[in-house]
Amino acid sequence: MSTNQDQGSELLSIEGKDVRITHADKLYFSRQVKLTKLEIVQYYLAVAAGAVAGIRDRPIVLKRFVNGAESEAFYQKRAPGERPPWLRTVTLSFPSGRTAEELVIEDAAGLAWIVNLGCLELHPHPVRSADLDHPDELRIDLDPGPGVDWRDVRRVAIEVKDVLEELGLRGWPKTSGSRGMHIISRIESSWTFTEVRKAALALAREVERRLPDIASSKWWKEERHGVFLDYNQNAKDRTTASAYSVRPLSDARVSAPLYWNEVLECDPADFTVLTMPKRFAEIGDPHAEIEMANGSLQKLLELAARDEASGLADAPWPPHFRKMEGEGSRVAPSRAKSDTANSIPKKSPARASRIKAPLLTIANSPSEEAALAGLERWKNKYTEVAKLLAVDDVLVDRMRGRSSLWTRIRVNLRHVPETLRPPQETPDPDDDPTRTWHRRAIE
């Protein structure tokens, strides 16, 4: 790689291809660590063999942090019109019926080019460009609830490993780069997205049966506890941050591929933009042999069939999908109970006053930090109520719209006597990007 500086930009020659890094000295991290855009590019080039392996030949969604990791990001599915001729694209269709021409990254030059757009994270689809309808990855996303201990995440990961191996599959673990863990299992490209999701749901339910105290397959946050196995990450049009992705945390943490013997001792904070290049140079890529491990979903699908025969309905799909055959209710249990109660003739005003929704929305904001600050203000206002909340009664929802991200915080009042439950107030802050977009559209 060679470089050429010019008025705040830097021209990189990467394997014979020129990539200009604009605003190279712009700070992308400025709090706990200070890192410029160019330093983020240099990080990705240092681990390019591993990072490109996770995205090569896959259409990729661009999650762009154009003002750095501390500012709001947005998703861009469509490839930029102005791009180098050596970058190729494929056209994907989505559940909504829309289509988009998405980039396919093949090498380190393409990787550097999208990082220059502000793509801290890499979000590839689980398919190859030659077959966009049949995934070649089963993705297991371990998502711990608020306050859940990292030890529980690791225990669930080991159980996932055991279940996969019993069913003839091999799992490849990595930290998510945040609080969770991802386990990838390469599979033959023989099944549809619907079938792969069904297999993921069967896996989640089996792990929950084995570790009922710390593992959950429940879609609704008010029903979850411990570590949620997010089966819906295998639905079409869903992506997760791939290996070596930089996450927008103040310490510039990254999604770190692991060997299984590292899982029980690892600390996700150990893997950052500053530490990963040295690790990669010393031990290489723990997922280097993943291409040699394609497995079959047949046994997992047989497990899914047994669940269905025992009366387990399909679990809820993401909200933007149409209602699917065999799917259970797509209404949160608390809302369903409220709707049922409201449909019953009221016998007296006293009876009506006891019917209260157990969930309160506390904050909506594009900034998770601002939303959490709003939660603290609410707790300080209702100190006695806050003392009664269990760890998993605080629901931190990372919401994703068509092109925006925001954080919604709710509290579940199930452990709070009805006489002490506060009313629903205007969230503080109350900045929901989708509602703002809707108002603008009407105006």
Side-chain angles (χ1 to χ4, degrees), residues 170-388:
R170 181 174 177 181
W172 301 82
K174 66 184 184 71
T175 64
S176 70
S178 182
R179 300 180 58 247
M181 191 171 286
H182 298 155
I183 301 168
I184 300 168
S185 183
R186 283 290 172 83
I187 57 175
E188 301 162 355
S189 300
S190 304
W191 293 275
T192 64
F193 276 94
T194 300
E195 291 169 321
V196 175
R197 177 191 171 278
K198 180 182 290 188
L201 176 58
L203 176 72
R205 285 172 167 170
E206 179 62 19
V207 174
E208 182 179 35
R209 284 189 285 264
R210 298 186 184 197
L211 296 175
D213 293 336
I214 61 172
S216 176
S217 66
K218 303 297 187 295
W219 175 251
W220 301 111
K221 288 195 174 184
E222 63 201 66
E223 292 188 315
R224 293 181 201 166
H225 63 277
V227 180
F228 172 50
L229 290 91
D230 190 354
Y231 57 89
N232 268 334
Q233 291 293 5
N234 294 274
K236 191 173 185 179
D237 194 23
R238 299 297 286 260
T239 62
T240 55
S242 64
Y244 301 98
S245 286
V246 181
R247 307 308 299 272
L249 299 182
S250 59
D251 58 356
R253 200 170 297 188
V254 305
S255 179
L258 303 169
Y259 293 106
W260 276 112
N261 61 11
E262 297 180 293
V263 168
L264 287 179
E265 300 296 332
C266 73
D267 182 341
D270 290 339
F271 310 113
T272 72
V273 168
L274 300 177
T275 64
M276 182 57 74
K278 182 175 184 292
R279 169 182 164 89
F280 191 85
E282 292 177 348
I283 72 168
D285 181 12
H287 292 188
E289 297 180 359
I290 193 171
E291 298 289 352
M292 303 162 57
N294 289 359
S296 171
L297 286 184
Q298 190 58 46
K299 291 184 178 179
L300 255 182
L301 291 173
E302 290 171 0
L303 178 60
R306 290 197 293 273
D307 284 345
E308 291 174 5
S310 71
L312 278 175
D314 190 6
W317 285 65
H320 62 285
F321 280 73
R322 62 177 175 81
K323 182 75 172 179
M324 306 297 282
E325 183 178 354
E327 180 183 358
S329 173
R330 205 181 282 186
V331 177
S334 60
R335 182 177 174 186
K337 291 176 183 177
S338 177
D339 290 346
T340 300
N342 289 334
S343 68
I344 299 174
K346 298 179 176 60
K347 294 182 179 180
S348 67
R351 171 66 177 169
S353 66
R354 288 196 297 270
I355 301 171
K356 297 180 180 178
L359 290 177
L360 296 181
T361 299
I362 305 303
N364 294 308
S365 178
S367 166
E368 182 173 345
E369 184 177 353
L372 290 171
L375 172 65
E376 291 306 310
R377 288 192 292 273
W378 184 89
K379 286 182 175 180
N380 290 333
K381 182 177 180 180
Y382 297 105
T383 54
E384 294 304 313
V385 172
K387 292 176 183 177
L388 298 174

Side-chain angles (χ1 to χ4, degrees), residues 132-179:
L132 301 176
D133 296 318
H134 298 91
D136 72 338
E137 285 187 347
L138 173 69
R139 295 177 172 179
I140 300 104
D141 182 0
L142 306 184
D143 182 11
V148 173
D149 195 278
W150 175 244
R151 288 173 297 181
D152 288 342
V153 177
R154 295 182 296 192
R155 285 182 59 201
V156 174
I158 295 298
E159 196 65 40
V160 169
K161 172 183 180 290
D162 292 344
V163 174
L164 287 172
E165 291 178 354
E166 290 172 20
L167 298 173
L169 294 165
R170 181 174 177 181
W172 301 82
K174 66 184 184 71
T175 64
S176 70
S178 182
R179 300 180 58 247

